[in-house]
């Protein structure tokens, strides 16, 4: 069963853009979306943040932002920006910025896990 475009949009997933990013193939895009909850990128990124390691977190944040762009998670992609800026300066991100990103991630992961 295909993921509902309308429901996806409620969770900040730009389904049309994601389909375009996957060669205009909604089946391929649906498969990629269904893999997202099991992807380790965010958990590795969070572990580096929790450890206070800005150096290790920076490339993981960029990898996560790239994944968000590929899957057309617009809100998550934008939420990564201030975090990446802080990490590139060698600082940990503001707690509020990371909490916002984590909440958005959890919402999408839970939605996709239920599909």
């Amino acid at each position: 069963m295909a993921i509902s475009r309308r429901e996806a949009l409620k969770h900040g997933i730009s389904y049309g853009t994601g389909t375009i990013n996957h060669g205009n193939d909604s089946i391929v895009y649906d498969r990629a979306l269904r893999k997202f909850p099991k992807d380790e990128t965010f958990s590795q990124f969070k572990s580096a943040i929790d450890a206070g390691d800005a150096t290790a977190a920076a490339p993981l944040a960029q990898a996560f932002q790239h994944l968000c762009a590929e899957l057309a998670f617009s809100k998550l992609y934008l939420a990564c920006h201030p975090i990446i800026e802080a990490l590139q300066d060698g600082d940990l991100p503001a707690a509020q910025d990371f909490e916002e990103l984590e909440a958005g991630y959890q919402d999408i992961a839970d939605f996709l896990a239920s599909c």
Side-chain angles (χ1 to χ4, degrees):
M1 175 185 251
I3 295 171
S4 164
R5 289 175 182 231
R6 189 168 295 179
E7 289 300 313
L9 188 58
K10 291 178 185 177
H11 297 277
I13 302 170
S14 301
Y15 196 95
T17 302
T19 300
I20 290 168
N21 292 347
H22 288 81
N24 286 324
D25 190 333
S26 63
I27 294 171
V28 172
Y29 182 49
D30 273 13
R31 283 186 196 140
L33 287 175
R34 291 175 198 280
K35 290 179 184 178
F36 179 75
K38 295 176 187 161
D39 186 273
E40 296 289 321
T41 307
F42 185 80
S43 63
Q44 293 170 354
F45 171 37
K46 183 178 180 341
S47 293
I49 293 291
D50 290 345
D53 190 346
T55 303
L60 293 167
Q62 291 173 338
F64 183 69
Q65 187 181 42
H66 177 76
L67 179 62
C68 291
E70 179 185 323
L71 295 175
F73 299 160
S74 304
K75 290 179 186 175
L76 284 184
Y77 176 85
L78 293 173
C80 287
H81 186 72
I83 293 169
I84 290 172
E85 281 187 341
L87 292 170
Q88 287 175 338
D89 290 341
D91 300 322
L92 289 173
Q96 182 179 359
D97 289 339
F98 193 79
E99 288 168 5
E100 178 184 322
L101 180 70
E102 187 173 22
Y105 165 81
Q106 197 60 56
D107 176 61
I108 289 175
D110 290 347
F111 166 67
L112 293 173
S114 72
C115 291

